[in-house]
Amino acid sequence: MAIDLYCVMGNPVAHSRSPWIHARFAELTGQTLRYDRRLIPLDGFASSVRAFALEGGRGCNITVPFKFDAAALASRVSSRATLAGAVNVLSFEGAEILGDNTDGAGLVLDLQRNAGFDLRGRHVLLIGAGGAAAGVLGPLLHEHPASLTVANRTLARASELVARHAALAVQQEVDLLAQSLQGLRGNFDLVINATSASLSHAGVPVAGSTLKPGALAYDMMYGPPAQGFLSWAAEHGASARDGLGMLVGQAAEAFLIWRGVLPPEQQVLEELRVVMRETP
Ligand code: ATR
């Protein structure tokens, strides 16, 4: 019988740790599958996905810059991916291409299970209103924080994101607000950095006073781009956590969709931290 095929599609994609993570998940859950890495031409996303499905592909992860194209290509999109406006997991079922988004679930899994942070009743600050923030806002609201403030350099983008999630916030009884970074007020139990500010060496875009005593400061990035934020958090007395657990968490949730089993993501995260220290 042909082996079940999966891959991660992106451009660039050489740096992706997904093949390593999924190979480890497969080993630890006793599943037989192959998971590759595919560099997709910028103008060739849809044809590459269709070709992979014809080759016998069962599903793929989608990374930069194709998450929006994947949402447009899928024949059915989950409600959480619709809210996020982006798809990071495709599954092929007959002629159907199913789209889902596990980024937010990965973040919540890492926060609650690995960091031991219970979101219920907490005051949360989400910095940024781009694709990374959009992917996690819905799943955060589902955990019933008391309030969630989206703060962005461009206020209009934060307001748009908040408006799109307003009905869900009412349903979950969460006080959902948009603020500009410049006028940001208040302090928070959890501060999540979903901006790309560190990639342009711009520094942390909020003041240390946003952190309540004992707060958790979480950067959705990992590796060198997360370092500035983690140091800033430590300087202000907060616990600091990078986004490596979110990466493993979103992969675990994708594995669950494809294989029907949630792999031991905590163990794989610990192993990946060792691998990354040895081969950064
Ligand atoms: P991504 O998919 O990584 O979220 P994006 O959609 O380009 O990428 O969004 C980048 C986010 O980082 C935005 O919220 C952006 O703020 P603007 O909406 O005002 O552009 C934020 N960002 C980028 N550089 C920043 C900086 N130097 N200071 C503050 N925010 C920054």
Side-chain angles (χ1 to χ4, degrees):
M1 215 176 78
I3 191 164
D4 288 349
L5 273 185
Y6 299 88
C7 73
V8 53
M9 295 188 175
N11 187 338
V13 79
H15 65 283
S16 173
R17 302 282 177 171
S18 292
W20 187 91
I21 294 169
H22 282 280
R24 208 52 200 120
F25 285 167
E27 262 176 298
L28 291 168
T29 56
Q31 308 252 332
T32 307
L33 57 85
R34 202 178 96 201
Y35 188 108
D36 298 332
R37 178 187 277 122
R38 295 207 173 186
L39 178 66
I40 305 300
L42 291 176
D43 60 353
F45 177 71
S47 56
S48 302
V49 171
R50 292 201 182 95
F52 183 62
L54 285 176
E55 274 170 53
R58 302 287 302 273
C60 47
N61 282 127
I62 307 301
T63 187
V64 175
F66 299 120
K67 290 186 184 184
F68 306 108
D69 304 80
L73 179 69
S75 50
R76 263 197 289 146
V77 177
S78 70
S79 53
R80 61 186 176 180
T82 303
L83 207 48
V87 155
N88 76 322
V89 184
L90 290 176
S91 312
F92 307 121
E93 277 187 24
E96 289 247 65
I97 301 178
L98 311 182
D100 205 343
N101 190 314
T102 60
D103 285 333
L107 171 66
V108 168
L109 189 72
D110 189 44
L111 282 170
Q112 310 226 118
R113 241 166 66 165
N114 302 340
F117 186 94
D118 187 2
L119 283 150
R120 183 175 286 271
R122 301 300 191 92
H123 296 280
V124 178
L125 173 64
L126 180 62
I127 316 167
V136 302
L137 183 51
L140 288 170
L141 291 172
H142 274 287
E143 299 306 317
H144 298 285
S147 73
L148 206 157
T149 300
V150 180
N152 198 43
R153 182 175 60 182
T154 312
L155 175 60
R157 276 184 100 187
S159 302
E160 187 277 326
L161 192 58
V162 161
R164 186 142 53 93
H165 288 75
L168 177 61
V170 169
Q171 188 191 78
Q172 302 296 316
E173 298 180 359
V174 183
D175 200 4
L176 178 62
L177 308 159
Q179 287 200 37
S180 69
L181 282 178
Q182 298 79 1
L184 180 60
R185 269 197 290 269
N187 58 6
F188 303 87
D189 303 300
L190 172 63
V191 173
I192 302 171
N193 184 21
T195 72
S196 54
S198 64
L199 298 181
S200 52
H201 306 283
V204 176
V206 297
S209 56
T210 53
L211 295 159
K212 276 189 182 177
L216 174 62
Y218 192 103
D219 199 322
M220 285 172 54
M221 297 208 184
Y222 54 88
Q227 271 320 308
F229 184 83
L230 299 181
S231 306
W232 168 85
E235 274 161 31
H236 292 92
S239 309
R241 190 168 179 86
D242 71 4
L244 199 66
M246 176 178 167
L247 174 76
V248 177
Q250 64 75 30
E253 296 280 346
F255 196 88
L256 174 65
I257 292 170
W258 292 328
R259 311 300 299 185
V261 46
L262 189 65
E265 41 78 38
Q266 230 163 352
Q267 177 184 341
V268 173
L269 173 58
E270 281 163 26
E271 292 177 1
L272 181 58
R273 286 204 188 279
V274 175
V275 169
M276 290 194 51
R277 270 198 294 275
E278 286 163 2
T279 51

